[in-house]
Amino acid sequence: MTTRSSTPSLFVTPVAVFLLLLFICPCLPGGLGTATPAAAGLIEISELLAHPEQYDHQDIMVTGKVMNVQLATNRQGQPAYGFLLQDQAGTLKVVSLGQLEVHEGDQVIVEGVFSRLRQVGRTIVYNEIKALSVKPLTRLNPDFVG
């Protein structure tokens, strides 16, 4: 007599885990029960790039891969960082103060304020997020991520 396991094998992507947690746990930023724009869920990079004026100076939440990390120090001597957030649809620039707790190549969720353009001296920076939070997808809930 052979027995067969009734446990289905699950393939769970990090984004699927996040979306599951988003709807189950109202304590997460952007979870049900909050009144922030992030409550609507993740915004695709392609959506931000297609309609930057709609999201200008708005709180947003996006996911993508960390690329081209650059560490710096601001004028007051505080640590700062910047990186490109990339997915199959496009790329955004992410900047923030503090220590970066993710690495090149990590899949992350970024929460912050989107700016369609910002002038720095004579330079104009387009499609930038001033990050309030950058978290690797694998650290959200290790029990759900394989």
Side-chain angles (χ1 to χ4, degrees):
M1 175 180 209
T2 59
T3 58
R4 212 166 68 171
S5 173
S6 62
T7 307
S9 75
L10 294 175
F11 176 73
V12 181
T13 64
V15 173
V17 171
F18 174 75
L19 292 175
L20 176 68
L21 293 174
L22 180 68
F23 292 110
I24 291 175
C25 184
C27 59
L28 284 175
L32 298 177
T34 64
T36 64
L42 291 171
I43 298 170
E44 296 288 330
I45 290 177
S46 61
E47 173 69 12
L48 286 170
L49 296 174
H51 307 285
E53 66 288 339
Q54 180 180 341
Y55 297 99
D56 197 25
H57 302 293
Q58 299 295 314
D59 292 339
I60 54 108
M61 184 176 5
V62 293
T63 184
K65 182 191 274 190
V66 174
M67 303 297 290
N68 216 18
V69 174
Q70 297 179 0
L71 303 176
T73 304
N74 72 3
R75 291 181 183 151
Q76 291 77 32
Q78 299 171 307
Y81 61 86
F83 62 86
L84 299 179
L85 184 68
Q86 185 176 51
D87 72 3
Q88 66 277 8
T91 304
L92 300 170
K93 182 172 175 95
V94 176
V95 295
S96 189
L97 291 176
Q99 298 292 333
L100 183 62
E101 297 181 15
V102 297
H103 306 310
E104 186 97 12
D106 284 354
Q107 288 288 333
V108 297
I109 291 178
V110 176
E111 289 184 81
V113 179
F114 177 77
S115 296
R116 67 182 182 89
L117 66 88
R118 177 175 65 93
Q119 189 158 356
V120 183
R122 293 183 178 190
T123 304
I124 297 177
V125 178
Y126 293 95
N127 301 322
E128 180 180 75
I129 300 170
K130 184 172 183 182
L132 303 172
S133 167
V134 177
K135 295 181 181 157
L137 286 173
T138 56
R139 288 193 202 156
L140 285 176
N141 191 336
D143 293 337
F144 290 118
V145 179

